[in-house]
Amino acid sequence: MDELKVKQIDAQSETSVSNDLAVPTDASSVLLKYQNKDGWTIQYPKSWDKITDNTLQESATEKYISFRTYPIPDEGVETWLDNKIEKSLSFEEADNKLIEDITTETKGDFVIYRYVLQSSYVEPTNTSNLKNIFYVGNGHIYEFHGQTPPLAKEEFETIVDSFAMKIEVNE
């Protein structure tokens, strides 16, 4: 079983994360850092209390972010992603629709792919948006997924935008 590394970080101190994570204004607020075995990290709220090999969750609210790492397949990222979306749209247990097309941007050495599915389970009143963000670089695809509600779009994006790769320095 892979060992998970969680490091508590004071939100008021400088961190090694190289992006603009929204830092809480309350001095007593603390973010935690999750380090994946594949060398990437994200920061998440201290109130999140459940960590598994591929999920961070706040049990009290059922907010979660799941993640996976894949090697880039031979068919390429775009074909792989199109197939993944097509599979999600064909699920019979839910009425899934693509409501935000795939967008891409470059951030450092990574290409970021984003899209949103809308999913209705059983009744149209039980609808949620399934947020998906993929960082592609270093020969891998790093997938992040969350459901809004209960997770707010801004919460999801703040956590995922804290994505950083651990850089090994050989001396």
Side-chain angles (χ1 to χ4, degrees), residues 67-91:
F67 36 82
R68 302 240 186 315
T69 301
Y70 308 96
I72 295 176
D74 292 338
E75 70 265 19
V77 174
E78 287 79 12
T79 301
W80 177 85
L81 190 52
D82 287 344
N83 290 339
K84 186 172 185 61
I85 292 170
E86 186 175 315
K87 183 178 177 182
S88 294
L89 295 175
S90 69
F91 289 157

Side-chain angles (χ1 to χ4, degrees), residues 120-155:
S120 297
Y121 295 93
V122 184
E123 298 177 19
T125 55
N126 188 15
T127 300
S128 59
N129 293 336
L130 307 174
K131 307 285 292 178
N132 298 277
I133 296 180
F134 300 86
Y135 282 75
V136 178
N138 296 336
H140 290 88
I141 300 168
Y142 307 95
E143 174 187 15
F144 296 89
H145 168 82
Q147 181 175 326
T148 59
L151 184 65
K153 176 182 176 182
E154 295 79 18
E155 290 176 296

Side-chain angles (χ1 to χ4, degrees), residues 9-140:
I9 298 175
D10 180 351
Q12 297 301 315
S13 68
E14 188 174 304
T15 68
S16 61
V17 176
S18 62
N19 60 21
D20 297 318
L21 178 66
V23 178
T25 56
D26 180 4
S28 65
S29 295
V30 175
L31 296 175
L32 299 177
K33 182 186 247 183
Y34 169 83
Q35 182 170 335
N36 186 273
K37 65 179 176 62
D38 296 315
W40 56 263
T41 63
I42 56 174
Q43 294 182 3
Y44 62 98
K46 182 180 178 182
S47 62
W48 291 41
D49 56 8
K50 183 176 182 182
I51 301 171
T52 65
D53 285 345
N54 62 0
T55 305
L56 298 176
Q57 182 177 10
E58 184 177 56
S59 296
T61 62
E62 297 185 5
K63 296 176 184 180
Y64 74 91
I65 289 182
S66 65
F67 36 82
R68 302 240 186 315
T69 301
Y70 308 96
I72 295 176
D74 292 338
E75 70 265 19
V77 174
E78 287 79 12
T79 301
W80 177 85
L81 190 52
D82 287 344
N83 290 339
K84 186 172 185 61
I85 292 170
E86 186 175 315
K87 183 178 177 182
S88 294
L89 295 175
S90 69
F91 289 157
E92 293 182 13
E93 68 273 8
D95 181 19
N96 292 336
K97 297 175 183 145
L98 184 64
I99 62 168
E100 286 184 27
D101 288 331
I102 298 171
T103 60
T104 61
E105 68 179 276
T106 302
K107 185 175 183 180
D109 294 334
F110 293 91
V111 176
I112 304 169
Y113 295 81
R114 299 173 190 259
Y115 70 92
V116 179
L117 293 173
Q118 185 175 69
S119 185
S120 297
Y121 295 93
V122 184
E123 298 177 19
T125 55
N126 188 15
T127 300
S128 59
N129 293 336
L130 307 174
K131 307 285 292 178
N132 298 277
I133 296 180
F134 300 86
Y135 282 75
V136 178
N138 296 336
H140 290 88

